[in-house]
Amino acid sequence: MSVRTGMKVSFIVLLLVLSAGCAQTGRIISADEPTLVGSRSAGADVYNRLIDETLRKLLEQSKGSGQSRKTICFVDLENKGAEELGENKAAIYEQIDTIIVESGVYANVSRRYVEAALRQTGLRPDEIFLGQGRQQFMLVLGGQGVTPDYLLWGTLTNLSTDGVNLREREYMLTMELVNAHTGLTEAKKSSKMRKEYTK
Amino acid sequence: MVVAVFAALSLSGCSTFSSRNESLRAAYGSANFSAADALVDGKIADQAGVKVELVRGSKGLDSAIDPLKNDTLLYLLDKGMTRLAQDDPATALRLFRRSRSALDATFQADSAALLKELASLFTDDSVRTYKGADYEQLMVRVMLALSDLVAGGGDAYAYAVQIGEKQEEIIGSPLGEITRDGVDSGYRPREQYRRIALGAYLQGVIREEALERDEAARAYGRALTISGGRSNLYTTALERVNGKLPSETGQGALHVFYFGGRGPYLGETRSNPTDAAIRLAGLAAFLVTGNVALIAQAPLPVPFVLVNDAHVPPLTVSSDGHVGVTETLLDLNSIAREQLNANMPWIMARVLLRRSAKAALATVAGRATERGTKSDGAGLAVSLFMGLVSTATENADTRSWETLPATIQAVRLELRRADGSIR
């Protein structure tokens, strides 16, 4: 190795040391700025859009005319995709709650009641859709004076396609409104969104 | 000036990572998880440059704890294990998730990334940001899937899918490919890795539980193919969802995953450079510096896998009159050894390059001294001294996730009563 090479490499080391000390910064993002698009996974932008589109379509399809306000119990969002919802889950539930209430047609059962009823019955969310499970669940909620007309269920899936240095992922959210008394599906809607990632 | 910089960079570490963690391994390995947890808190605080109270209070999750600072990432992985062992899967889940994101951020997909990191030439490998061994990339996802199943987070399927996705990304990545004048080095360490089937199996378990038999059958079929058809657990799972092994109505399934034995860790040894390592170092040196002068005579400090528990007997699980014996699904001792061996030529190549660069710097210093003192002897003495110091202070990178188990074993029992005791 030449003298010149030795000096060149030591310079690279020094640069790395100097650039390592950059401090973290933060700023408030104004309401009119677009949501940051996740570079490795779906992120808030994808979930916001999918939920907004799917749920509004579903509520629009199922609303009757001149009827009294019906009560929806949002049970769960099943994740059958390759990306975890993780800490986005709480925000997603809040968004669903807000859209239902804002519809003006439906009222939503508080998440606290749903979780308490699941705990008390020892049921997993998917077991509510079996006759016996649904009865138990409704009984516990009824004991608290809450009687939902519909059970709302969401399923998130995705399809991946790998290309050269690229990955395309299609995210699909399906939401289903089930009659709480009969167990029959009364409305079902889906929305899709595609996203491209560099590898 | 050159001597001062050189000395600072050479004195990078007198003890290895594994030797600094003996007490942690001992506490965790003897199932003293609260003591191990406290030790990990101290390590995280030390590596992340935060107060230990902050680590303890936030269970390692405070945003001020930067996983990529020093070796924080490795201790966050350990923290995940100590929390999981102390029946706190929700915290373990968050710690593993954070660690996985940090590992993803440092993942090296191709040789360009490896060549870039030759900036660490003057120190030793243990000074580089920890990138995670390839099997650790998979194991963090295994731990995420299992923690999520225990915590009921609803994302276990996603994590199970990620095990397979990351595995294919690793094995399909062109890391190791280095060409010079159109001649390929022919070195692709990741092609030698064996695939693990646990991700596919977990996908099958979750889909079977949701009564989606077709999807479960596909997942179990993949697991069976990956394992080479040698697993009873995978075989019976596939037969069950294909209707060949009927389950009685009213039966429930109990899965027990057993983290058996203390996992492998890395020690340091000295080894002569192999031909493959010399060839790789020559190619890398040419690409980075345009010069191929290498010093390849002396043995090199390199890591090797130390096994705590070579044979972990299966666990017998009984409940409600049903008895089952666990089957080994993952043998971390073998996987760690195979992957380290596959990567050894590149590890050696890095040491060779580093040593050669240091020798070049020692020559520069010697000549500078010679000119300043007008003495050939003084210049030679400086060169020799620096050469000796650089070789003696060089350490192998022995960093690894040391709290992993030696094996992951599992058994499935069909039970009538959900509240029966498990032994």
Side-chain angles (χ1 to χ4, degrees), chain B residues 306-351:
Chain B
L306 284 158
V307 171
N308 276 309
D309 296 312
H311 302 288
V312 182
L315 196 67
T316 301
V317 180
S318 63
S319 180
D320 197 23
H322 294 78
V323 180
V325 177
T326 57
E327 176 185 322
T328 298
L329 304 182
L330 271 183
D331 176 357
L332 270 299
N333 290 330
S334 305
I335 292 171
R337 198 182 286 123
E338 285 166 10
Q339 292 200 2
L340 184 67
N341 288 344
N343 285 291
M344 192 54 76
W346 181 247
I347 293 169
M348 284 184 162
R350 274 203 302 267
V351 184

mmCIF file of all heavy atoms in Angstrom, chain B residues 306-351:
data_model
loop_
_atom_site.group_PDB
_atom_site.id
_atom_site.type_symbol
_atom_site.label_atom_id
_atom_site.label_comp_id
_atom_site.label_asym_id
_atom_site.label_seq_id
_atom_site.Cartn_x
_atom_site.Cartn_y
_atom_site.Cartn_z
ATOM 1 N N LEU B 306 -18.444 -20.068 20.383
ATOM 2 C CA LEU B 306 -18.332 -20.851 21.619
ATOM 3 C C LEU B 306 -19.711 -21.393 21.966
ATOM 4 O O LEU B 306 -20.684 -20.644 21.996
ATOM 5 C CB LEU B 306 -17.837 -19.951 22.755
ATOM 6 C CG LEU B 306 -16.349 -19.609 22.729
ATOM 7 C CD1 LEU B 306 -16.071 -18.341 23.509
ATOM 8 C CD2 LEU B 306 -15.557 -20.762 23.321
ATOM 9 N N VAL B 307 -19.745 -22.679 22.212
ATOM 10 C CA VAL B 307 -21.035 -23.327 22.491
ATOM 11 C C VAL B 307 -21.146 -23.616 23.982
ATOM 12 O O VAL B 307 -20.265 -24.222 24.570
ATOM 13 C CB VAL B 307 -21.167 -24.630 21.674
ATOM 14 C CG1 VAL B 307 -22.373 -25.428 22.111
ATOM 15 C CG2 VAL B 307 -21.254 -24.298 20.191
ATOM 16 N N ASN B 308 -22.207 -23.151 24.588
ATOM 17 C CA ASN B 308 -22.465 -23.435 26.004
ATOM 18 C C ASN B 308 -23.071 -24.813 26.187
ATOM 19 O O ASN B 308 -22.609 -25.602 26.990
ATOM 20 C CB ASN B 308 -23.462 -22.407 26.555
ATOM 21 C CG ASN B 308 -22.789 -21.123 26.988
ATOM 22 O OD1 ASN B 308 -21.827 -21.136 27.736
ATOM 23 N ND2 ASN B 308 -23.288 -20.006 26.491
ATOM 24 N N ASP B 309 -24.156 -25.039 25.461
ATOM 25 C CA ASP B 309 -24.902 -26.289 25.614
ATOM 26 C C ASP B 309 -25.028 -26.954 24.248
ATOM 27 O O ASP B 309 -25.872 -26.570 23.441
ATOM 28 C CB ASP B 309 -26.290 -26.000 26.189
ATOM 29 C CG ASP B 309 -26.201 -25.424 27.594
ATOM 30 O OD1 ASP B 309 -25.458 -25.985 28.424
ATOM 31 O OD2 ASP B 309 -26.851 -24.395 27.848
ATOM 32 N N ALA B 310 -24.172 -27.938 24.028
ATOM 33 C CA ALA B 310 -24.154 -28.577 22.709
ATOM 34 C C ALA B 310 -25.368 -29.476 22.497
ATOM 35 O O ALA B 310 -25.894 -29.566 21.390
ATOM 36 C CB ALA B 310 -22.869 -29.382 22.557
ATOM 37 N N HIS B 311 -25.798 -30.126 23.542
ATOM 38 C CA HIS B 311 -26.953 -31.030 23.413
ATOM 39 C C HIS B 311 -28.020 -30.631 24.424
ATOM 40 O O HIS B 311 -27.783 -30.697 25.631
ATOM 41 C CB HIS B 311 -26.524 -32.483 23.641
ATOM 42 C CG HIS B 311 -25.454 -32.915 22.681
ATOM 43 N ND1 HIS B 311 -25.706 -33.131 21.353
ATOM 44 C CD2 HIS B 311 -24.117 -33.128 22.859
ATOM 45 C CE1 HIS B 311 -24.572 -33.468 20.745
ATOM 46 N NE2 HIS B 311 -23.595 -33.463 21.632
ATOM 47 N N VAL B 312 -29.131 -30.218 23.924
ATOM 48 C CA VAL B 312 -30.234 -29.827 24.810
ATOM 49 C C VAL B 312 -31.321 -30.888 24.701
ATOM 50 O O VAL B 312 -31.929 -31.053 23.639
ATOM 51 C CB VAL B 312 -30.801 -28.449 24.407
ATOM 52 C CG1 VAL B 312 -31.903 -28.029 25.370
ATOM 53 C CG2 VAL B 312 -29.696 -27.404 24.358
ATOM 54 N N PRO B 313 -31.540 -31.634 25.765
ATOM 55 C CA PRO B 313 -32.553 -32.698 25.692
ATOM 56 C C PRO B 313 -33.953 -32.112 25.520
ATOM 57 O O PRO B 313 -34.209 -30.985 25.928
ATOM 58 C CB PRO B 313 -32.420 -33.419 27.037
ATOM 59 C CG PRO B 313 -31.690 -32.486 27.917
ATOM 60 C CD PRO B 313 -30.900 -31.554 27.076
ATOM 61 N N PRO B 314 -34.841 -32.868 24.924
ATOM 62 C CA PRO B 314 -36.212 -32.358 24.748
ATOM 63 C C PRO B 314 -36.944 -32.268 26.081
ATOM 64 O O PRO B 314 -36.542 -32.876 27.071
ATOM 65 C CB PRO B 314 -36.847 -33.408 23.829
ATOM 66 C CG PRO B 314 -36.062 -34.632 24.025
ATOM 67 C CD PRO B 314 -34.671 -34.209 24.364
ATOM 68 N N LEU B 315 -38.002 -31.503 26.050
ATOM 69 C CA LEU B 315 -38.813 -31.288 27.239
ATOM 70 C C LEU B 315 -40.085 -32.134 27.110
ATOM 71 O O LEU B 315 -40.695 -32.162 26.045
ATOM 72 C CB LEU B 315 -39.186 -29.803 27.289
ATOM 73 C CG LEU B 315 -39.714 -29.202 28.580
ATOM 74 C CD1 LEU B 315 -38.625 -29.185 29.642
ATOM 75 C CD2 LEU B 315 -40.199 -27.775 28.304
ATOM 76 N N THR B 316 -40.441 -32.805 28.179
ATOM 77 C CA THR B 316 -41.700 -33.547 28.164
ATOM 78 C C THR B 316 -42.794 -32.675 28.778
ATOM 79 O O THR B 316 -42.632 -32.163 29.886
ATOM 80 C CB THR B 316 -41.560 -34.862 28.962
ATOM 81 O OG1 THR B 316 -40.514 -35.633 28.374
ATOM 82 C CG2 THR B 316 -42.855 -35.674 28.937
ATOM 83 N N VAL B 317 -43.846 -32.474 28.018
ATOM 84 C CA VAL B 317 -44.932 -31.597 28.470
ATOM 85 C C VAL B 317 -46.178 -32.451 28.635
ATOM 86 O O VAL B 317 -46.524 -33.244 27.748
ATOM 87 C CB VAL B 317 -45.205 -30.486 27.426
ATOM 88 C CG1 VAL B 317 -46.337 -29.580 27.885
ATOM 89 C CG2 VAL B 317 -43.943 -29.673 27.169
ATOM 90 N N SER B 318 -46.841 -32.295 29.777
ATOM 91 C CA SER B 318 -48.072 -33.069 29.967
ATOM 92 C C SER B 318 -49.171 -32.168 30.513
ATOM 93 O O SER B 318 -48.915 -31.239 31.277
ATOM 94 C CB SER B 318 -47.828 -34.246 30.912
ATOM 95 O OG SER B 318 -47.463 -33.775 32.180
ATOM 96 N N SER B 319 -50.375 -32.460 30.082
ATOM 97 C CA SER B 319 -51.534 -31.716 30.561
ATOM 98 C C SER B 319 -52.785 -32.540 30.301
ATOM 99 O O SER B 319 -52.946 -33.104 29.212
ATOM 100 C CB SER B 319 -51.619 -30.373 29.836
ATOM 101 O OG SER B 319 -52.739 -29.655 30.303
ATOM 102 N N ASP B 320 -53.615 -32.618 31.312
ATOM 103 C CA ASP B 320 -54.918 -33.250 31.154
ATOM 104 C C ASP B 320 -54.794 -34.673 30.585
ATOM 105 O O ASP B 320 -55.576 -35.081 29.724
ATOM 106 C CB ASP B 320 -55.779 -32.359 30.232
ATOM 107 C CG ASP B 320 -57.263 -32.705 30.324
ATOM 108 O OD1 ASP B 320 -57.657 -33.282 31.355
ATOM 109 O OD2 ASP B 320 -57.980 -32.415 29.360
ATOM 110 N N GLY B 321 -53.762 -35.378 31.029
ATOM 111 C CA GLY B 321 -53.569 -36.756 30.578
ATOM 112 C C GLY B 321 -52.859 -36.899 29.243
ATOM 113 O O GLY B 321 -52.576 -37.999 28.803
ATOM 114 N N HIS B 322 -52.582 -35.795 28.583
ATOM 115 C CA HIS B 322 -51.874 -35.849 27.308
ATOM 116 C C HIS B 322 -50.396 -35.537 27.539
ATOM 117 O O HIS B 322 -50.062 -34.637 28.310
ATOM 118 C CB HIS B 322 -52.448 -34.828 26.319
ATOM 119 C CG HIS B 322 -53.848 -35.128 25.909
ATOM 120 N ND1 HIS B 322 -54.926 -34.850 26.720
ATOM 121 C CD2 HIS B 322 -54.345 -35.697 24.784
ATOM 122 C CE1 HIS B 322 -56.029 -35.231 26.101
ATOM 123 N NE2 HIS B 322 -55.712 -35.754 24.925
ATOM 124 N N VAL B 323 -49.551 -36.278 26.850
ATOM 125 C CA VAL B 323 -48.112 -36.083 27.014
ATOM 126 C C VAL B 323 -47.472 -35.858 25.643
ATOM 127 O O VAL B 323 -47.819 -36.530 24.662
ATOM 128 C CB VAL B 323 -47.453 -37.318 27.691
ATOM 129 C CG1 VAL B 323 -45.952 -37.105 27.861
ATOM 130 C CG2 VAL B 323 -48.095 -37.595 29.038
ATOM 131 N N GLY B 324 -46.567 -34.910 25.570
ATOM 132 C CA GLY B 324 -45.848 -34.659 24.327
ATOM 133 C C GLY B 324 -44.395 -34.334 24.604
ATOM 134 O O GLY B 324 -44.050 -33.920 25.718
ATOM 135 N N VAL B 325 -43.567 -34.540 23.615
ATOM 136 C CA VAL B 325 -42.132 -34.261 23.760
ATOM 137 C C VAL B 325 -41.751 -33.218 22.720
ATOM 138 O O VAL B 325 -42.150 -33.325 21.545
ATOM 139 C CB VAL B 325 -41.305 -35.557 23.564
ATOM 140 C CG1 VAL B 325 -39.809 -35.257 23.653
ATOM 141 C CG2 VAL B 325 -41.691 -36.585 24.610
ATOM 142 N N THR B 326 -40.996 -32.228 23.152
ATOM 143 C CA THR B 326 -40.637 -31.145 22.229
ATOM 144 C C THR B 326 -39.687 -31.625 21.134
ATOM 145 O O THR B 326 -38.908 -32.551 21.342
ATOM 146 C CB THR B 326 -39.973 -29.969 22.970
ATOM 147 O OG1 THR B 326 -38.827 -30.450 23.668
ATOM 148 C CG2 THR B 326 -40.934 -29.293 23.933
ATOM 149 N N GLU B 327 -39.783 -30.953 19.999
ATOM 150 C CA GLU B 327 -38.909 -31.252 18.857
ATOM 151 C C GLU B 327 -38.093 -29.997 18.547
ATOM 152 O O GLU B 327 -38.632 -28.887 18.561
ATOM 153 C CB GLU B 327 -39.773 -31.618 17.649
ATOM 154 C CG GLU B 327 -38.985 -31.856 16.382
ATOM 155 C CD GLU B 327 -39.925 -32.104 15.190
ATOM 156 O OE1 GLU B 327 -40.969 -32.755 15.356
ATOM 157 O OE2 GLU B 327 -39.591 -31.626 14.088
ATOM 158 N N THR B 328 -36.828 -30.176 18.243
ATOM 159 C CA THR B 328 -35.981 -29.017 17.951
ATOM 160 C C THR B 328 -36.315 -28.454 16.569
ATOM 161 O O THR B 328 -36.230 -29.154 15.566
ATOM 162 C CB THR B 328 -34.490 -29.408 17.999
ATOM 163 O OG1 THR B 328 -34.194 -29.860 19.321
ATOM 164 C CG2 THR B 328 -33.589 -28.218 17.676
ATOM 165 N N LEU B 329 -36.703 -27.182 16.553
ATOM 166 C CA LEU B 329 -37.010 -26.509 15.287
ATOM 167 C C LEU B 329 -35.862 -25.611 14.837
ATOM 168 O O LEU B 329 -35.697 -25.351 13.655
ATOM 169 C CB LEU B 329 -38.285 -25.667 15.426
ATOM 170 C CG LEU B 329 -39.537 -26.402 15.898
ATOM 171 C CD1 LEU B 329 -40.729 -25.453 15.940
ATOM 172 C CD2 LEU B 329 -39.848 -27.597 14.998
ATOM 173 N N LEU B 330 -35.112 -25.128 15.788
ATOM 174 C CA LEU B 330 -33.958 -24.267 15.465
ATOM 175 C C LEU B 330 -32.790 -24.646 16.343
ATOM 176 O O LEU B 330 -32.943 -24.751 17.560
ATOM 177 C CB LEU B 330 -34.301 -22.806 15.762
ATOM 178 C CG LEU B 330 -34.932 -21.944 14.692
ATOM 179 C CD1 LEU B 330 -35.108 -20.530 15.207
ATOM 180 C CD2 LEU B 330 -34.098 -21.933 13.440
ATOM 181 N N ASP B 331 -31.628 -24.833 15.735
ATOM 182 C CA ASP B 331 -30.404 -25.122 16.486
ATOM 183 C C ASP B 331 -29.460 -23.944 16.251
ATOM 184 O O ASP B 331 -28.775 -23.873 15.233
ATOM 185 C CB ASP B 331 -29.804 -26.439 15.980
ATOM 186 C CG ASP B 331 -28.471 -26.757 16.636
ATOM 187 O OD1 ASP B 331 -27.989 -25.934 17.444
ATOM 188 O OD2 ASP B 331 -27.908 -27.819 16.338
ATOM 189 N N LEU B 332 -29.475 -23.021 17.209
ATOM 190 C CA LEU B 332 -28.703 -21.793 17.037
ATOM 191 C C LEU B 332 -27.195 -22.032 17.032
ATOM 192 O O LEU B 332 -26.453 -21.291 16.387
ATOM 193 C CB LEU B 332 -29.048 -20.791 18.150
ATOM 194 C CG LEU B 332 -30.201 -19.807 17.903
ATOM 195 C CD1 LEU B 332 -29.933 -18.924 16.712
ATOM 196 C CD2 LEU B 332 -31.518 -20.530 17.688
ATOM 197 N N ASN B 333 -26.743 -23.069 17.745
ATOM 198 C CA ASN B 333 -25.303 -23.369 17.753
ATOM 199 C C ASN B 333 -24.824 -23.642 16.329
ATOM 200 O O ASN B 333 -23.813 -23.092 15.885
ATOM 201 C CB ASN B 333 -25.006 -24.599 18.625
ATOM 202 C CG ASN B 333 -25.214 -24.320 20.104
ATOM 203 O OD1 ASN B 333 -25.034 -23.185 20.548
ATOM 204 N ND2 ASN B 333 -25.591 -25.338 20.858
ATOM 205 N N SER B 334 -25.558 -24.491 15.634
ATOM 206 C CA SER B 334 -25.153 -24.854 14.268
ATOM 207 C C SER B 334 -25.278 -23.668 13.325
ATOM 208 O O SER B 334 -24.396 -23.425 12.498
ATOM 209 C CB SER B 334 -26.025 -25.985 13.727
ATOM 210 O OG SER B 334 -25.980 -27.053 14.590
ATOM 211 N N ILE B 335 -26.396 -22.947 13.448
ATOM 212 C CA ILE B 335 -26.627 -21.831 12.524
ATOM 213 C C ILE B 335 -25.543 -20.765 12.693
ATOM 214 O O ILE B 335 -24.988 -20.255 11.710
ATOM 215 C CB ILE B 335 -28.035 -21.233 12.748
ATOM 216 C CG1 ILE B 335 -29.100 -22.254 12.316
ATOM 217 C CG2 ILE B 335 -28.219 -19.932 11.994
ATOM 218 C CD1 ILE B 335 -30.515 -21.883 12.690
ATOM 219 N N ALA B 336 -25.227 -20.439 13.943
ATOM 220 C CA ALA B 336 -24.205 -19.411 14.193
ATOM 221 C C ALA B 336 -22.857 -19.850 13.628
ATOM 222 O O ALA B 336 -22.139 -19.071 13.000
ATOM 223 C CB ALA B 336 -24.088 -19.138 15.695
ATOM 224 N N ARG B 337 -22.531 -21.120 13.837
ATOM 225 C CA ARG B 337 -21.234 -21.629 13.370
ATOM 226 C C ARG B 337 -21.170 -21.635 11.841
ATOM 227 O O ARG B 337 -20.195 -21.183 11.249
ATOM 228 C CB ARG B 337 -21.015 -23.045 13.922
ATOM 229 C CG ARG B 337 -19.560 -23.481 13.859
ATOM 230 C CD ARG B 337 -19.380 -24.894 14.358
ATOM 231 N NE ARG B 337 -19.494 -25.018 15.798
ATOM 232 C CZ ARG B 337 -20.364 -25.823 16.421
ATOM 233 N NH1 ARG B 337 -21.209 -26.562 15.742
ATOM 234 N NH2 ARG B 337 -20.373 -25.897 17.726
ATOM 235 N N GLU B 338 -22.230 -22.112 11.226
ATOM 236 C CA GLU B 338 -22.243 -22.183 9.750
ATOM 237 C C GLU B 338 -22.144 -20.790 9.124
ATOM 238 O O GLU B 338 -21.406 -20.587 8.155
ATOM 239 C CB GLU B 338 -23.545 -22.855 9.277
ATOM 240 C CG GLU B 338 -23.553 -24.346 9.482
ATOM 241 C CD GLU B 338 -24.949 -24.945 9.335
ATOM 242 O OE1 GLU B 338 -25.869 -24.223 8.886
ATOM 243 O OE2 GLU B 338 -25.104 -26.119 9.674
ATOM 244 N N GLN B 339 -22.886 -19.849 9.685
ATOM 245 C CA GLN B 339 -22.865 -18.501 9.091
ATOM 246 C C GLN B 339 -21.527 -17.808 9.331
ATOM 247 O O GLN B 339 -21.026 -17.097 8.456
ATOM 248 C CB GLN B 339 -24.022 -17.671 9.636
ATOM 249 C CG GLN B 339 -25.377 -18.180 9.166
ATOM 250 C CD GLN B 339 -26.491 -17.151 9.272
ATOM 251 O OE1 GLN B 339 -26.276 -16.014 9.672
ATOM 252 N NE2 GLN B 339 -27.692 -17.558 8.901
ATOM 253 N N LEU B 340 -20.953 -18.015 10.506
ATOM 254 C CA LEU B 340 -19.643 -17.399 10.761
ATOM 255 C C LEU B 340 -18.590 -17.991 9.820
ATOM 256 O O LEU B 340 -17.770 -17.261 9.251
ATOM 257 C CB LEU B 340 -19.225 -17.587 12.222
ATOM 258 C CG LEU B 340 -17.917 -16.898 12.608
ATOM 259 C CD1 LEU B 340 -18.060 -15.372 12.568
ATOM 260 C CD2 LEU B 340 -17.445 -17.318 13.991
ATOM 261 N N ASN B 341 -18.623 -19.296 9.651
ATOM 262 C CA ASN B 341 -17.662 -19.930 8.739
ATOM 263 C C ASN B 341 -17.822 -19.414 7.311
ATOM 264 O O ASN B 341 -16.846 -19.176 6.609
ATOM 265 C CB ASN B 341 -17.824 -21.455 8.757
ATOM 266 C CG ASN B 341 -17.319 -22.060 10.054
ATOM 267 O OD1 ASN B 341 -16.585 -21.397 10.792
ATOM 268 N ND2 ASN B 341 -17.722 -23.277 10.350
ATOM 269 N N ALA B 342 -19.077 -19.245 6.911
ATOM 270 C CA ALA B 342 -19.330 -18.762 5.544
ATOM 271 C C ALA B 342 -18.778 -17.351 5.354
ATOM 272 O O ALA B 342 -18.307 -16.993 4.278
ATOM 273 C CB ALA B 342 -20.826 -18.793 5.249
ATOM 274 N N ASN B 343 -18.838 -16.558 6.404
ATOM 275 C CA ASN B 343 -18.393 -15.161 6.307
ATOM 276 C C ASN B 343 -16.921 -14.965 6.652
ATOM 277 O O ASN B 343 -16.408 -13.846 6.543
ATOM 278 C CB ASN B 343 -19.252 -14.281 7.221
ATOM 279 C CG ASN B 343 -20.632 -14.057 6.634
ATOM 280 O OD1 ASN B 343 -20.789 -13.374 5.635
ATOM 281 N ND2 ASN B 343 -21.641 -14.667 7.230
ATOM 282 N N MET B 344 -16.263 -16.037 7.078
ATOM 283 C CA MET B 344 -14.883 -15.896 7.560
ATOM 284 C C MET B 344 -13.918 -15.298 6.527
ATOM 285 O O MET B 344 -13.071 -14.459 6.895
ATOM 286 C CB MET B 344 -14.370 -17.250 8.069
ATOM 287 C CG MET B 344 -13.072 -17.166 8.848
ATOM 288 S SD MET B 344 -13.121 -15.991 10.213
ATOM 289 C CE MET B 344 -14.078 -16.884 11.421
ATOM 290 N N PRO B 345 -14.022 -15.668 5.245
ATOM 291 C CA PRO B 345 -13.088 -15.052 4.290
ATOM 292 C C PRO B 345 -13.165 -13.525 4.295
ATOM 293 O O PRO B 345 -12.132 -12.838 4.240
ATOM 294 C CB PRO B 345 -13.553 -15.626 2.939
ATOM 295 C CG PRO B 345 -14.134 -16.943 3.287
ATOM 296 C CD PRO B 345 -14.814 -16.726 4.611
ATOM 297 N N TRP B 346 -14.384 -12.989 4.386
ATOM 298 C CA TRP B 346 -14.508 -11.527 4.391
ATOM 299 C C TRP B 346 -14.017 -10.917 5.709
ATOM 300 O O TRP B 346 -13.404 -9.855 5.736
ATOM 301 C CB TRP B 346 -15.950 -11.106 4.099
ATOM 302 C CG TRP B 346 -16.109 -9.617 4.077
ATOM 303 C CD1 TRP B 346 -16.798 -8.852 4.957
ATOM 304 C CD2 TRP B 346 -15.511 -8.701 3.150
ATOM 305 N NE1 TRP B 346 -16.691 -7.527 4.642
ATOM 306 C CE2 TRP B 346 -15.897 -7.404 3.539
ATOM 307 C CE3 TRP B 346 -14.675 -8.859 2.044
ATOM 308 C CZ2 TRP B 346 -15.491 -6.264 2.846
ATOM 309 C CZ3 TRP B 346 -14.270 -7.718 1.352
ATOM 310 C CH2 TRP B 346 -14.673 -6.447 1.751
ATOM 311 N N ILE B 347 -14.276 -11.608 6.813
ATOM 312 C CA ILE B 347 -13.794 -11.117 8.117
ATOM 313 C C ILE B 347 -12.263 -11.050 8.083
ATOM 314 O O ILE B 347 -11.637 -10.065 8.493
ATOM 315 C CB ILE B 347 -14.274 -12.047 9.265
ATOM 316 C CG1 ILE B 347 -15.799 -11.949 9.400
ATOM 317 C CG2 ILE B 347 -13.601 -11.691 10.583
ATOM 318 C CD1 ILE B 347 -16.424 -13.004 10.314
ATOM 319 N N MET B 348 -11.652 -12.106 7.571
ATOM 320 C CA MET B 348 -10.182 -12.137 7.480
ATOM 321 C C MET B 348 -9.676 -11.067 6.509
ATOM 322 O O MET B 348 -8.647 -10.418 6.768
ATOM 323 C CB MET B 348 -9.722 -13.512 6.987
ATOM 324 C CG MET B 348 -9.790 -14.579 8.039
ATOM 325 S SD MET B 348 -9.121 -16.123 7.370
ATOM 326 C CE MET B 348 -8.807 -17.031 8.862
ATOM 327 N N ALA B 349 -10.409 -10.895 5.415
ATOM 328 C CA ALA B 349 -9.979 -9.903 4.424
ATOM 329 C C ALA B 349 -9.937 -8.516 5.045
ATOM 330 O O ALA B 349 -9.025 -7.732 4.789
ATOM 331 C CB ALA B 349 -10.934 -9.928 3.230
ATOM 332 N N ARG B 350 -10.927 -8.221 5.879
ATOM 333 C CA ARG B 350 -10.960 -6.904 6.538
ATOM 334 C C ARG B 350 -9.745 -6.711 7.433
ATOM 335 O O ARG B 350 -9.131 -5.655 7.462
ATOM 336 C CB ARG B 350 -12.243 -6.745 7.363
ATOM 337 C CG ARG B 350 -13.425 -6.235 6.566
ATOM 338 C CD ARG B 350 -14.445 -5.588 7.484
ATOM 339 N NE ARG B 350 -14.930 -6.496 8.508
ATOM 340 C CZ ARG B 350 -16.029 -7.250 8.402
ATOM 341 N NH1 ARG B 350 -16.744 -7.186 7.321
ATOM 342 N NH2 ARG B 350 -16.396 -8.041 9.377
ATOM 343 N N VAL B 351 -9.403 -7.772 8.198
ATOM 344 C CA VAL B 351 -8.245 -7.670 9.098
ATOM 345 C C VAL B 351 -6.967 -7.477 8.271
ATOM 346 O O VAL B 351 -6.099 -6.673 8.624
ATOM 347 C CB VAL B 351 -8.122 -8.925 9.996
ATOM 348 C CG1 VAL B 351 -6.982 -8.752 10.992
ATOM 349 C CG2 VAL B 351 -9.419 -9.185 10.739
#
